[in-house]
Amino acid sequence: MLKIYTAIFCLLFFKLSAQTYFTPQLDKNSDVPLAEYELGIATYFNTNVENEYKRQEYYLTFDDFGLRKDKPVKELTIDTNTDGTIEYYYQFNQDGTIALFKNYVDNDNRSYEYFENLIVIKQEPLVKYKDGLFTTSIDSVFFDHNRRIVKELCSFVFHGTGGVDTFRKVVEYQFSKSNQLEKKYYYSVRKRPGYSKDFIDGKEIFYENYKDSIVEKGYYAKEQKTELKDRADEKKGLISKSVYYLNNSNIVERVKVFYSNSSSDVKYDFTINYDKLGRVANYQDRDKESCSFGYDKNDKINQIKRKNKKEPEVVINYIYDNNGRFIYSQKKGEEEKINPRHFTYEKFGNWETETWDTVIKGVKLTTLITRKISYY
């Protein structure tokens, strides 16, 4: 049961904090207990990092690749095995933003253009196949004067043997005069060859901001935005409801998630406690299943303790190398290292190779990732 609540906490983090895990070979491994992973809940709803609608990576910088800030990187290539073939290529601007990305594995090529309140991302195939199969897309991301995302537009076209498949999406965010998120709107239309009807998906989420809590309610929004009168009856169109309780520091200290077909029956209910430095100390659900965290002098999580009513406490320690990079975890009382990794570094302190072993049916397989970096 604890794993379920741990997963819910992770999902809440993905909803509240930065998420770039789907980007090939970023310096963020899912098994690494980054401090940001636990502290993410304190960020509340920041549209720049909200990932519910699977936005592309708009704000990748040196940090996302574990690169030093004081040494501007011009190009980064990644070889994910030992054959010497480049699978991924990145080009950066001098300010650390990504300018170009080439994915040779999936024939994906993206360019990034930056304007004062707009980022445009164009995606085209590296190779157009002989049978006519290829994909293109354009993402446009609009910002307000506070650099918050207020609108996203996406246009996708797939040219296949059966015809042209198109997809268009819009996501909008609305803030109050006091800079609180009040509404999110999502709407998409997909036209597929061979189908007489369009595939339409729409969702509108409203936020009721109170002094000590935030109530989130989601509704279907087909073809047009939901009118306020449609929300008078909770049962009409309601698909989700959550309540985020705030402490005196205006950060979330309790979360209640309700069943989609009810506004009163609780599906998940857990509490988050913080230490004096504002870090997540532990969280606990209503059945007393809990998870607590310990930190090292660099604010990195070095220990996690999990326990519930049926199973004894499990303690996992996390070990980092001298450069502060996670290399393995280890259960208390056990000698075996979990997923040990080894890094080598180049002369400027950026990691150059990452190696780890995987045992499958008694056979040890070694994975080697090699990066080559050029600088401005």
Side-chain angles (χ1 to χ4, degrees), residues 55 58 117-122 137-143 149 151-155 169 171:
R55 197 171 58 246
Y58 298 146
N117 292 309
L118 172 66
I119 297 177
V120 177
I121 303 172
K122 297 180 180 179
S137 70
I138 297 177
D139 282 303
S140 300
V141 189
F142 298 86
F143 301 84
I149 294 176
K151 189 174 184 178
E152 304 168 58
L153 300 175
C154 175
S155 176
K169 177 186 72 174
V171 183

Side-chain angles (χ1 to χ4, degrees), residues 4-55:
I4 295 177
Y5 284 95
T6 303
I8 292 298
F9 186 87
C10 292
L11 287 174
L12 180 65
F13 166 71
F14 292 159
K15 190 172 187 177
L16 300 180
S17 191
Q19 186 49 208
T20 51
Y21 283 84
F22 57 89
T23 305
Q25 304 305 320
L26 287 192
D27 193 52
K28 297 177 183 292
N29 298 310
S30 59
D31 56 347
V32 180
L34 298 174
E36 292 83 0
Y37 158 75
E38 309 304 343
L39 294 174
I41 195 169
T43 66
Y44 182 43
F45 302 108
N46 180 347
T47 60
N48 290 342
V49 295
E50 211 279 306
N51 193 47
E52 182 172 354
Y53 303 122
K54 299 181 180 179
R55 197 171 58 246

Side-chain angles (χ1 to χ4, degrees), residues 263-293:
S263 61
S264 58
D265 293 336
V266 178
K267 186 177 183 179
Y268 301 109
D269 185 352
F270 57 94
T271 303
I272 304 100
N273 296 303
Y274 303 85
D275 62 19
K276 294 181 179 179
L277 298 178
R279 304 172 301 193
V280 175
N282 64 75
Y283 63 91
Q284 179 176 286
D285 72 3
R286 56 183 172 179
D287 295 322
K288 306 302 181 183
E289 299 188 16
S290 65
C291 187
S292 60
F293 308 91

Side-chain angles (χ1 to χ4, degrees), residues 73 213 256 270:
V73 171
S213 64
K256 293 176 71 173
F270 57 94

Side-chain angles (χ1 to χ4, degrees), residues 319-376:
I319 312 301
Y320 303 84
D321 64 14
N322 293 331
N323 292 282
R325 196 169 303 282
F326 169 81
I327 50 176
Y328 69 88
S329 58
Q330 194 168 23
K331 289 185 178 180
K332 187 176 181 180
E334 297 184 6
E335 295 184 1
E336 182 181 3
K337 298 178 181 179
I338 304 173
N339 297 325
R341 299 170 184 269
H342 177 71
F343 292 89
T344 63
Y345 296 85
E346 41 99 279
K347 61 181 180 180
F348 295 112
N350 288 313
W351 72 266
E352 194 169 39
T353 65
E354 177 184 6
T355 310
W356 70 91
D357 295 327
T358 305
V359 179
I360 301 177
K361 295 183 179 181
V363 179
K364 185 173 73 171
L365 302 175
T366 299
T367 300
L368 169 65
I369 295 178
T370 303
R371 307 195 310 180
K372 292 185 178 180
I373 306 169
S374 65
Y375 298 89
Y376 279 99

Side-chain angles (χ1 to χ4, degrees), residues 204 219-220 224-238:
E204 197 160 18
Y219 298 83
Y220 289 115
Q224 61 182 4
K225 298 182 182 181
T226 304
E227 298 294 336
L228 291 176
K229 61 181 181 181
D230 294 333
R231 299 193 297 125
D233 183 356
E234 284 253 316
K235 295 181 180 179
K236 185 178 181 180
L238 180 67

